[in-house]
Amino acid sequence: MKIEFENNIIEFNVQYGKRKKISLHIDSIGHITVKAPKDTSEEIIISAMEQHGKLIMEKLQAIAKAQEIPKTREYQEEGKFLHLGKEYFLHELIETGELMEEELKKNLKKFYFASCKKIVGERITRYQTELRVKPKTIDIVESRTKWGSCSSDKKLTFNYRLAMAPIEVIDYVIIHELCHLLHMNHDRSFWRRVGSIMPDYKEKQDYLARYGQSMTL
């Protein structure tokens, strides 16, 4: 479902169950879930969301701000960059020589693309076998807003910046996107399937929300 609040579209998932009241949950990456009694009408749910519109927008804006990508980096031998969750000096990741900043940045991005492609290629085999799914294609891309995506025609993409995250966080994003081959929405069935493979997936979400802004060039 979705509502419009002060010219902003707020999308959310609804979970119906045996409960007495409507409750609202916004996770660390901005997914909104409304839990409602089984026979609650759509009008009542929308009304409840509209009443909390200001609070929801404040929360979403805070999450977006925390995920903003810093603009400055030191491209020199002793500049530090993340790889698989650990900090390395630039010269430990790529050849630096007498290269200028733009060339260093270009080469470092190539390094991350190659690293991400290798890691995802190695890790995804295990999980697609476990989930009994097979994506049509797997691509590594550059994105400012998404760590991964799954299209309706079973094409998966992964953000090259994932190579900066710990392996278990990369695994979470892989599992997340593979589960979308079974459930395109973030409904209860989707999260149950993610949790069946990675019970502590919320910790990985929190990592991306907390440290995603530092995983950048």
Side-chain angles (χ1 to χ4, degrees):
M1 292 187 190
K2 60 184 177 182
I3 63 168
E4 183 174 348
F5 182 81
E6 295 182 350
N7 297 320
N8 295 290
I9 300 299
I10 301 175
E11 296 184 349
F12 56 95
N13 294 313
V14 181
Q15 294 180 0
Y16 297 95
K18 294 181 179 179
R19 55 190 305 113
K20 295 181 178 180
K21 297 180 179 180
I22 294 175
S23 65
L24 169 66
H25 175 70
I26 304 176
D27 68 20
S28 58
I29 55 176
H31 290 139
I32 304 173
T33 301
V34 175
K35 296 183 178 181
K38 192 178 349 183
D39 298 321
T40 307
S41 69
E42 184 174 325
E43 290 75 15
I44 291 176
I45 293 173
I46 289 176
S47 177
M49 287 291 288
E50 289 175 341
Q51 289 177 27
H52 293 88
K54 183 177 180 180
L55 184 63
I56 293 169
M57 286 307 304
E58 288 176 352
K59 178 69 173 178
L60 293 177
Q61 288 166 2
I63 292 171
K65 186 175 182 180
Q67 294 176 336
E68 286 180 358
I69 299 174
K71 297 181 179 179
T72 58
R73 279 289 188 182
E74 291 186 20
Y75 286 88
Q76 53 187 4
E77 284 197 359
E78 301 304 310
K80 290 186 177 181
F81 294 84
L82 287 170
H83 184 233
L84 301 183
K86 297 181 180 180
E87 280 194 333
Y88 292 87
F89 292 118
L90 181 60
H91 67 83
E92 294 180 293
L93 300 177
I94 62 171
E95 291 290 334
T96 53
E98 300 297 324
L99 298 178
M100 302 296 288
E101 181 175 315
E102 282 305 310
E103 193 68 24
L104 289 172
K105 185 174 182 179
K106 180 180 177 181
N107 290 348
L108 185 58
K109 183 179 285 189
K110 285 182 180 179
F111 166 80
Y112 282 124
F113 262 92
S115 179
C116 188
K117 182 177 182 179
K118 179 175 183 292
I119 295 163
V120 169
E122 292 172 348
R123 309 293 291 182
I124 202 169
T125 303
R126 166 191 169 185
Y127 295 115
Q128 68 181 35
T129 300
E130 194 169 350
L131 287 163
R132 298 180 182 178
V133 296
K134 187 174 182 179
K136 186 175 181 180
T137 61
I138 303 169
D139 291 312
I140 308 302
V141 300
E142 181 172 5
S143 174
R144 292 179 64 87
T145 59
K146 294 182 179 181
W147 294 110
S149 69
C150 173
S151 68
S152 58
D153 55 355
K154 298 185 177 182
K155 295 180 179 180
L156 303 188
T157 65
F158 296 94
N159 193 327
Y160 81 93
R161 293 189 292 119
L162 276 174
M164 303 179 193
I167 283 290
E168 60 270 19
V169 175
I170 300 174
D171 282 351
Y172 160 66
V173 178
I174 290 173
I175 292 167
H176 184 116
E177 301 311 329
L178 285 175
C179 284
H180 275 315
L181 295 175
L182 300 169
H183 308 280
M184 284 303 294
N185 297 317
H186 292 100
D187 57 14
R188 183 182 298 178
S189 297
F190 170 81
W191 290 115
R192 188 183 297 120
R193 198 69 185 93
V194 172
S196 71
I197 306 297
M198 180 174 280
D200 61 347
Y201 70 86
K202 288 186 178 180
E203 293 181 9
K204 307 330 185 247
Q205 290 180 335
D206 290 341
Y207 181 95
L208 290 172
R210 187 174 297 115
Y211 301 110
Q213 70 272 19
S214 61
M215 293 163 54
T216 178
L217 297 184

